[in-house]
């Protein structure tokens, strides 16, 4: 039990840090604030995470691992319903680590490790979206010229990456609060998949509109 205690403390530190980063934004959260929130001394925090960047990197590692597992599921997307569920799951994960996206440019400018790893995140997202398009093409859910795949995949990844920033600009005081999460995620998934509208088979287009309408009505 004694050996497990340090790991439990380290885990709790990450949980509280993630909550504070998400709530206030990483630049506005100091290690002193994290220590106070946990009710531990700054020295105890420093023992587990000697620098703030180590907290950021540890949280990013968790996000990247979960993201890569989820992106692998893109191979199983065959139709609009699969794509809707996949995109919504992606946005749920992004929301869970939303501080990364809220403060993305600032974080990348200060943290070389994040800068290099996030480039790989973009590549992995793009690869996953291409796999999604390929799977939907093989079932006839979409009909897309091979010359349009790269640009469409890139556009979808741009929305995936910057959607929460757009939500924040629209309503800085409330957009990233937990009570607004569901609507923000639904809008994000909707706008990513709207990029497929010109390529969707008619029945799939109709089904997407029904899915969007059903979720929007359920949330009112």
């Amino acid at each position: 039990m004694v050996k497990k205690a340090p790991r439990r403390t380290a885990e709790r530190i990450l949980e509280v840090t993630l909550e504070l980063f998400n709530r206030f934004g990483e630049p506005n959260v100091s290690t002193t604030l994290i220590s106070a929130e946990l009710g531990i001394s700054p020295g105890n925090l420093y023992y587990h995470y000697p620098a703030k960047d180590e907290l950021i990197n540890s949280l990013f590692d968790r996000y990247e691992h979960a993201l890569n597992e989820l992106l692998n599921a893109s191979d199983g997307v065959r139709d609009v319903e699969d794509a809707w569920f996949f995109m919504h799951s992606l946005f749920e994960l992004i929301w869970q680590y939303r501080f990364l996206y809220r403060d993305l440019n600032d974080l990348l400018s200060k943290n070389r490790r994040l800068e290099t790893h996030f480039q790989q995140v973009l590549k992995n997202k793009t690869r996953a979206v291409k796999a999604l398009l390929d799977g939907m093409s093989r079932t006839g859910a979409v009909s897309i010229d091979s010359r349009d795949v790269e640009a469409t995949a890139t556009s979808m990844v741009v929305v995936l990456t910057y959607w929460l920033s757009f939500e924040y600009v629209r309503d800085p005081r409330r957009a990233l609060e937990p009570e607004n999460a569901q609507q923000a995620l639904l809008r994000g998934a909707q706008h990513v998949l709207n990029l497929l509208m010109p390529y969707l088979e008619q029945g799939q287009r109709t089904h997407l509109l029904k899915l969007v309408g059903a979720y929007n009505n359920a949330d009112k």
Side-chain angles (χ1 to χ4, degrees):
M1 293 298 293
V2 174
K3 291 183 179 180
K4 292 183 179 180
R7 289 200 293 271
R8 177 58 193 149
T9 301
E11 175 77 17
R12 180 63 182 148
I13 289 171
L14 285 182
E15 290 172 358
V16 170
T17 299
L18 179 59
E19 182 182 339
L20 292 173
F21 281 178
N22 282 341
R23 183 178 178 187
F24 299 112
E26 178 275 328
N28 301 315
V29 176
S30 65
T31 53
T32 302
L33 176 59
I34 296 169
S35 300
E37 187 73 15
L38 284 158
I40 63 176
S41 68
N44 195 358
L45 177 65
Y46 181 81
Y47 171 79
H48 294 283
Y49 299 98
K52 189 179 178 183
D53 271 356
E54 293 199 23
L55 287 165
I56 296 168
N57 291 340
S58 294
L59 289 171
F60 177 79
D61 286 346
R62 291 183 170 203
Y63 165 70
E64 188 176 29
H65 178 74
L67 177 67
N68 287 337
E69 285 194 344
L70 181 53
L71 292 178
N72 288 336
S74 64
D75 290 336
V77 174
R78 295 292 178 264
D79 54 29
V80 157
E81 188 135 2
D82 290 344
W84 176 265
F85 179 76
F86 176 74
M87 288 300 169
H88 196 269
S89 298
L90 268 179
F91 274 108
E92 283 183 332
L93 180 61
I94 289 170
W95 179 269
Q96 186 181 348
Y97 292 89
R98 58 192 177 277
F99 83 92
L100 290 168
Y101 289 84
R102 171 178 173 170
D103 306 306
L104 183 57
N105 291 351
D106 183 63
L107 284 168
L108 296 186
S109 70
K110 297 186 301 184
N111 188 313
R112 176 61 180 166
R113 184 171 180 274
L114 241 61
E115 179 187 344
T116 55
H117 276 249
F118 223 95
Q119 291 172 6
Q120 188 60 47
V121 165
L122 292 180
K123 290 177 182 177
N124 291 342
K125 284 181 181 177
T126 303
R127 188 181 303 117
V129 171
K130 287 180 178 179
L132 176 150
L133 292 173
D134 181 61
M136 294 180 73
S137 294
R138 282 188 276 110
T139 61
V142 299
S143 178
I144 182 169
D145 191 295
S146 60
R147 293 169 294 184
D148 293 331
V149 168
E150 186 73 34
T152 302
T154 299
S155 296
M156 293 171 76
V157 170
V158 168
V159 177
L160 271 169
T161 303
Y162 289 103
W163 180 254
L164 288 185
S165 295
F166 176 74
E167 289 279 343
Y168 183 73
V169 172
R170 287 177 68 240
D171 190 359
R173 295 184 182 275
R174 296 181 299 174
L176 300 188
E177 293 301 313
E179 61 269 20
N180 296 312
Q182 193 60 21
Q183 277 299 312
L185 301 185
L186 289 172
R187 284 192 294 265
Q190 176 185 347
H191 282 276
V192 172
L193 292 180
N194 274 349
L195 292 167
L196 295 183
M197 279 294 188
Y199 311 107
L200 286 175
E201 180 268 332
Q202 182 58 47
Q204 290 289 294
R205 185 181 297 117
T206 301
H207 189 51
L208 176 58
L209 293 173
K210 286 181 179 178
L211 282 172
V212 171
Y215 278 91
N216 284 340
N217 290 334
D219 236 34
K220 289 180 180 178

